[in-house]
Amino acid sequence: MENISELKTMLLAEKTRLEGALSGVGHKNPEIKGDWEASAPDLNNPAADPNDVADSIETFEENAAVEVELEARLMEVDAALARIESNTYGICRICGSAIEGARLHANPAAPTCIAHREG
């Protein structure tokens, strides 16, 4: 097995980066632990220029798409960290074989070996 402490450090650094990026496009959902939401623009200003409102909506839609991608990756990283804690890290969730070291270094959150990688 690869150096788990090194891979855990990589995962924690990625988690910090992801949370920073998420805070730039959204905020934590106070009702659901671990859930993030894109920050919505304030559209309650009746004197707002329609073009400004349209720009705000477009920015929100872009942020929502980015938020979904970042949150999905954060969930993968959190799942990998949980596997480290439960001593199941580095084991393919499909075949039960060890995940290749090169794969883990390329993607420390990988839940499967190369033969069973998704996409």
Side-chain angles (χ1 to χ4, degrees):
M1 171 55 70
E2 293 296 311
N3 184 346
I4 291 182
S5 64
E6 176 186 346
L7 294 167
K8 183 176 182 178
T9 299
M10 292 169 63
L11 286 163
L12 290 170
E14 183 174 4
K15 178 177 177 139
T16 298
R17 283 191 305 273
L18 288 166
E19 288 176 336
L22 276 163
S23 67
V25 296
H27 58 275
K28 288 184 179 182
N29 180 347
E31 297 174 13
I32 302 173
K33 184 179 190 288
D35 185 43
W36 288 76
E37 299 175 332
S39 296
D42 180 13
L43 302 176
N44 291 325
N45 182 355
D49 180 280
N51 291 325
D52 291 340
V53 171
D55 288 345
S56 292
I57 292 171
E58 183 177 346
T59 298
F60 171 71
E61 289 173 346
E62 290 168 1
N63 287 348
V66 169
E67 181 274 328
V68 167
E69 295 284 327
L70 292 171
E71 186 176 13
R73 181 61 184 173
L74 180 59
M75 289 171 46
E76 292 171 359
V77 168
D78 283 340
L81 290 166
R83 289 193 301 275
I84 289 173
E85 295 305 314
S86 67
N87 294 318
T88 59
Y89 181 77
I91 300 169
C92 177
R93 66 176 170 82
I94 295 176
C95 68
S97 298
I99 299 172
E100 299 82 355
R103 176 151 169 78
L104 289 174
H105 277 283
N107 177 9
T112 60
C113 65
I114 291 174
H116 295 109
R117 71 180 175 267
E118 299 165 357

mmCIF file of all heavy atoms in Angstrom, residues 11 15 18 20-22 24 39-41 43 53 57 64 67 69 71 76 81 92 97 100 102-106 113:
data_model
loop_
_atom_site.group_PDB
_atom_site.id
_atom_site.type_symbol
_atom_site.label_atom_id
_atom_site.label_comp_id
_atom_site.label_asym_id
_atom_site.label_seq_id
_atom_site.Cartn_x
_atom_site.Cartn_y
_atom_site.Cartn_z
ATOM 1 N N LEU A 11 -5.358 14.680 0.098
ATOM 2 C CA LEU A 11 -6.822 14.783 0.164
ATOM 3 C C LEU A 11 -7.260 15.973 1.019
ATOM 4 O O LEU A 11 -8.176 16.709 0.636
ATOM 5 C CB LEU A 11 -7.425 13.492 0.723
ATOM 6 C CG LEU A 11 -7.424 12.293 -0.224
ATOM 7 C CD1 LEU A 11 -7.656 11.002 0.544
ATOM 8 C CD2 LEU A 11 -8.460 12.474 -1.317
ATOM 9 N N LYS A 15 -9.383 19.127 -0.169
ATOM 10 C CA LYS A 15 -10.624 19.493 0.523
ATOM 11 C C LYS A 15 -10.619 20.984 0.857
ATOM 12 O O LYS A 15 -11.621 21.679 0.640
ATOM 13 C CB LYS A 15 -10.793 18.655 1.788
ATOM 14 C CG LYS A 15 -12.028 19.002 2.584
ATOM 15 C CD LYS A 15 -12.200 18.105 3.788
ATOM 16 C CE LYS A 15 -13.414 18.567 4.568
ATOM 17 N NZ LYS A 15 -14.220 17.483 5.058
ATOM 18 N N LEU A 18 -11.162 22.938 -2.359
ATOM 19 C CA LEU A 18 -12.551 22.814 -2.815
ATOM 20 C C LEU A 18 -13.490 23.664 -1.968
ATOM 21 O O LEU A 18 -14.368 24.348 -2.499
ATOM 22 C CB LEU A 18 -12.995 21.347 -2.782
ATOM 23 C CG LEU A 18 -12.388 20.447 -3.841
ATOM 24 C CD1 LEU A 18 -12.618 18.982 -3.492
ATOM 25 C CD2 LEU A 18 -12.934 20.776 -5.215
ATOM 26 N N GLY A 20 -12.738 26.323 -0.328
ATOM 27 C CA GLY A 20 -12.473 27.718 -0.664
ATOM 28 C C GLY A 20 -13.152 28.116 -1.962
ATOM 29 O O GLY A 20 -13.763 29.179 -2.061
ATOM 30 N N ALA A 21 -13.055 27.245 -2.962
ATOM 31 C CA ALA A 21 -13.700 27.526 -4.250
ATOM 32 C C ALA A 21 -15.223 27.544 -4.096
ATOM 33 O O ALA A 21 -15.907 28.393 -4.674
ATOM 34 C CB ALA A 21 -13.276 26.494 -5.291
ATOM 35 N N LEU A 22 -15.745 26.618 -3.308
ATOM 36 C CA LEU A 22 -17.193 26.588 -3.078
ATOM 37 C C LEU A 22 -17.679 27.860 -2.386
ATOM 38 O O LEU A 22 -18.735 28.385 -2.718
ATOM 39 C CB LEU A 22 -17.580 25.361 -2.246
ATOM 40 C CG LEU A 22 -17.776 24.078 -3.031
ATOM 41 C CD1 LEU A 22 -17.731 22.867 -2.112
ATOM 42 C CD2 LEU A 22 -19.070 24.114 -3.817
ATOM 43 N N GLY A 24 -16.613 30.686 -2.783
ATOM 44 C CA GLY A 24 -16.605 31.774 -3.761
ATOM 45 C C GLY A 24 -17.844 31.797 -4.640
ATOM 46 O O GLY A 24 -18.169 32.830 -5.226
ATOM 47 N N SER A 39 -24.961 30.761 -4.361
ATOM 48 C CA SER A 39 -25.521 31.985 -3.794
ATOM 49 C C SER A 39 -26.399 32.679 -4.824
ATOM 50 O O SER A 39 -25.968 32.939 -5.950
ATOM 51 C CB SER A 39 -24.399 32.928 -3.347
ATOM 52 O OG SER A 39 -23.665 32.342 -2.305
ATOM 53 N N ALA A 40 -27.629 32.952 -4.436
ATOM 54 C CA ALA A 40 -28.593 33.593 -5.334
ATOM 55 C C ALA A 40 -28.425 35.110 -5.297
ATOM 56 O O ALA A 40 -28.128 35.680 -4.251
ATOM 57 C CB ALA A 40 -30.006 33.220 -4.934
ATOM 58 N N PRO A 41 -28.640 35.762 -6.438
ATOM 59 C CA PRO A 41 -28.563 37.228 -6.456
ATOM 60 C C PRO A 41 -29.807 37.832 -5.797
ATOM 61 O O PRO A 41 -30.853 37.195 -5.712
ATOM 62 C CB PRO A 41 -28.531 37.559 -7.947
ATOM 63 C CG PRO A 41 -29.258 36.426 -8.591
ATOM 64 C CD PRO A 41 -28.941 35.208 -7.755
ATOM 65 N N LEU A 43 -32.757 39.917 -6.183
ATOM 66 C CA LEU A 43 -33.572 40.425 -7.293
ATOM 67 C C LEU A 43 -34.747 41.255 -6.801
ATOM 68 O O LEU A 43 -35.693 41.510 -7.538
ATOM 69 C CB LEU A 43 -34.078 39.250 -8.148
ATOM 70 C CG LEU A 43 -32.999 38.354 -8.738
ATOM 71 C CD1 LEU A 43 -33.625 37.186 -9.474
ATOM 72 C CD2 LEU A 43 -32.077 39.142 -9.660
ATOM 73 N N VAL A 53 -30.130 42.743 -13.971
ATOM 74 C CA VAL A 53 -30.849 41.582 -13.433
ATOM 75 C C VAL A 53 -30.526 40.346 -14.265
ATOM 76 O O VAL A 53 -30.234 39.273 -13.721
ATOM 77 C CB VAL A 53 -32.377 41.841 -13.391
ATOM 78 C CG1 VAL A 53 -33.127 40.560 -13.034
ATOM 79 C CG2 VAL A 53 -32.699 42.955 -12.404
ATOM 80 N N ILE A 57 -28.687 36.900 -13.006
ATOM 81 C CA ILE A 57 -29.262 35.562 -13.173
ATOM 82 C C ILE A 57 -28.291 34.657 -13.928
ATOM 83 O O ILE A 57 -28.100 33.493 -13.558
ATOM 84 C CB ILE A 57 -30.635 35.646 -13.870
ATOM 85 C CG1 ILE A 57 -31.640 36.320 -12.936
ATOM 86 C CG2 ILE A 57 -31.115 34.264 -14.292
ATOM 87 C CD1 ILE A 57 -32.967 36.660 -13.581
ATOM 88 N N ALA A 64 -24.101 28.067 -10.130
ATOM 89 C CA ALA A 64 -24.803 26.842 -9.752
ATOM 90 C C ALA A 64 -24.152 25.629 -10.417
ATOM 91 O O ALA A 64 -23.964 24.587 -9.780
ATOM 92 C CB ALA A 64 -26.283 26.936 -10.109
ATOM 93 N N GLU A 67 -20.840 25.059 -8.711
ATOM 94 C CA GLU A 67 -21.083 24.545 -7.355
ATOM 95 C C GLU A 67 -21.363 23.047 -7.387
ATOM 96 O O GLU A 67 -20.851 22.293 -6.560
ATOM 97 C CB GLU A 67 -22.249 25.310 -6.714
ATOM 98 C CG GLU A 67 -22.571 24.890 -5.295
ATOM 99 C CD GLU A 67 -23.524 23.715 -5.211
ATOM 100 O OE1 GLU A 67 -24.389 23.569 -6.090
ATOM 101 O OE2 GLU A 67 -23.396 22.924 -4.262
ATOM 102 N N GLU A 69 -20.369 20.798 -9.586
ATOM 103 C CA GLU A 69 -19.121 20.073 -9.881
ATOM 104 C C GLU A 69 -18.207 20.034 -8.663
ATOM 105 O O GLU A 69 -17.655 18.987 -8.319
ATOM 106 C CB GLU A 69 -18.390 20.742 -11.053
ATOM 107 C CG GLU A 69 -19.131 20.668 -12.371
ATOM 108 C CD GLU A 69 -19.051 19.300 -13.006
ATOM 109 O OE1 GLU A 69 -18.021 18.620 -12.853
ATOM 110 O OE2 GLU A 69 -20.028 18.912 -13.667
ATOM 111 N N GLU A 71 -18.983 20.485 -5.485
ATOM 112 C CA GLU A 71 -19.575 19.712 -4.387
ATOM 113 C C GLU A 71 -19.443 18.216 -4.638
ATOM 114 O O GLU A 71 -19.163 17.449 -3.707
ATOM 115 C CB GLU A 71 -21.040 20.088 -4.194
ATOM 116 C CG GLU A 71 -21.656 19.428 -2.985
ATOM 117 C CD GLU A 71 -23.084 19.870 -2.711
ATOM 118 O OE1 GLU A 71 -23.716 20.499 -3.576
ATOM 119 O OE2 GLU A 71 -23.559 19.579 -1.607
ATOM 120 N N GLU A 76 -16.474 13.169 -3.062
ATOM 121 C CA GLU A 76 -15.524 12.096 -3.355
ATOM 122 C C GLU A 76 -14.337 12.145 -2.391
ATOM 123 O O GLU A 76 -13.887 11.112 -1.886
ATOM 124 C CB GLU A 76 -15.020 12.205 -4.796
ATOM 125 C CG GLU A 76 -16.065 11.930 -5.844
ATOM 126 C CD GLU A 76 -15.595 12.255 -7.253
ATOM 127 O OE1 GLU A 76 -14.440 12.726 -7.421
ATOM 128 O OE2 GLU A 76 -16.373 12.043 -8.199
ATOM 129 N N LEU A 81 -11.519 10.163 2.549
ATOM 130 C CA LEU A 81 -11.050 10.380 3.921
ATOM 131 C C LEU A 81 -11.755 9.437 4.896
ATOM 132 O O LEU A 81 -11.132 8.914 5.830
ATOM 133 C CB LEU A 81 -11.247 11.841 4.330
ATOM 134 C CG LEU A 81 -10.316 12.839 3.619
ATOM 135 C CD1 LEU A 81 -10.804 14.266 3.829
ATOM 136 C CD2 LEU A 81 -8.883 12.671 4.094
ATOM 137 N N CYS A 92 -10.401 -1.430 -4.117
ATOM 138 C CA CYS A 92 -11.427 -1.206 -5.134
ATOM 139 C C CYS A 92 -12.791 -1.616 -4.592
ATOM 140 O O CYS A 92 -12.960 -2.735 -4.089
ATOM 141 C CB CYS A 92 -11.096 -2.007 -6.392
ATOM 142 S SG CYS A 92 -12.350 -1.869 -7.693
ATOM 143 N N SER A 97 -9.745 -5.595 -4.975
ATOM 144 C CA SER A 97 -8.288 -5.600 -5.148
ATOM 145 C C SER A 97 -7.709 -4.259 -4.728
ATOM 146 O O SER A 97 -8.428 -3.262 -4.630
ATOM 147 C CB SER A 97 -7.930 -5.854 -6.615
ATOM 148 O OG SER A 97 -8.392 -7.117 -7.021
ATOM 149 N N GLU A 100 -4.154 0.655 -7.675
ATOM 150 C CA GLU A 100 -2.776 0.909 -8.066
ATOM 151 C C GLU A 100 -2.271 2.226 -7.476
ATOM 152 O O GLU A 100 -2.991 3.224 -7.435
ATOM 153 C CB GLU A 100 -2.661 0.969 -9.597
ATOM 154 C CG GLU A 100 -3.062 -0.295 -10.309
ATOM 155 C CD GLU A 100 -4.570 -0.470 -10.538
ATOM 156 O OE1 GLU A 100 -5.379 0.360 -10.068
ATOM 157 O OE2 GLU A 100 -4.933 -1.464 -11.175
ATOM 158 N N ALA A 102 -0.139 4.352 -8.670
ATOM 159 C CA ALA A 102 -0.137 5.453 -9.644
ATOM 160 C C ALA A 102 -1.522 6.077 -9.746
ATOM 161 O O ALA A 102 -1.652 7.296 -9.881
ATOM 162 C CB ALA A 102 0.327 4.949 -11.013
ATOM 163 N N ARG A 103 -2.547 5.246 -9.667
ATOM 164 C CA ARG A 103 -3.917 5.775 -9.725
ATOM 165 C C ARG A 103 -4.221 6.624 -8.496
ATOM 166 O O ARG A 103 -4.808 7.699 -8.603
ATOM 167 C CB ARG A 103 -4.925 4.632 -9.847
ATOM 168 C CG ARG A 103 -6.383 5.091 -9.812
ATOM 169 C CD ARG A 103 -7.262 4.164 -10.578
ATOM 170 N NE ARG A 103 -8.673 4.393 -10.388
ATOM 171 C CZ ARG A 103 -9.385 5.361 -10.971
ATOM 172 N NH1 ARG A 103 -8.799 6.225 -11.773
ATOM 173 N NH2 ARG A 103 -10.677 5.475 -10.758
ATOM 174 N N LEU A 104 -3.813 6.154 -7.334
ATOM 175 C CA LEU A 104 -4.065 6.915 -6.113
ATOM 176 C C LEU A 104 -3.298 8.234 -6.108
ATOM 177 O O LEU A 104 -3.801 9.237 -5.620
ATOM 178 C CB LEU A 104 -3.719 6.088 -4.878
ATOM 179 C CG LEU A 104 -4.677 4.926 -4.589
ATOM 180 C CD1 LEU A 104 -4.162 4.082 -3.434
ATOM 181 C CD2 LEU A 104 -6.086 5.431 -4.313
ATOM 182 N N HIS A 105 -2.091 8.235 -6.645
ATOM 183 C CA HIS A 105 -1.336 9.488 -6.701
ATOM 184 C C HIS A 105 -1.946 10.455 -7.709
ATOM 185 O O HIS A 105 -1.917 11.665 -7.499
ATOM 186 C CB HIS A 105 0.137 9.232 -7.005
ATOM 187 C CG HIS A 105 0.909 8.881 -5.772
ATOM 188 N ND1 HIS A 105 1.306 9.806 -4.843
ATOM 189 C CD2 HIS A 105 1.315 7.683 -5.295
ATOM 190 C CE1 HIS A 105 1.935 9.213 -3.864
ATOM 191 N NE2 HIS A 105 1.936 7.912 -4.104
ATOM 192 N N ALA A 106 -2.503 9.924 -8.785
ATOM 193 C CA ALA A 106 -3.158 10.778 -9.787
ATOM 194 C C ALA A 106 -4.504 11.272 -9.271
ATOM 195 O O ALA A 106 -4.915 12.398 -9.550
ATOM 196 C CB ALA A 106 -3.350 10.013 -11.092
ATOM 197 N N CYS A 113 -10.065 0.477 -8.791
ATOM 198 C CA CYS A 113 -8.817 0.224 -9.495
ATOM 199 C C CYS A 113 -8.970 0.722 -10.942
ATOM 200 O O CYS A 113 -10.061 1.107 -11.380
ATOM 201 C CB CYS A 113 -8.477 -1.258 -9.461
ATOM 202 S SG CYS A 113 -9.649 -2.321 -10.349
#
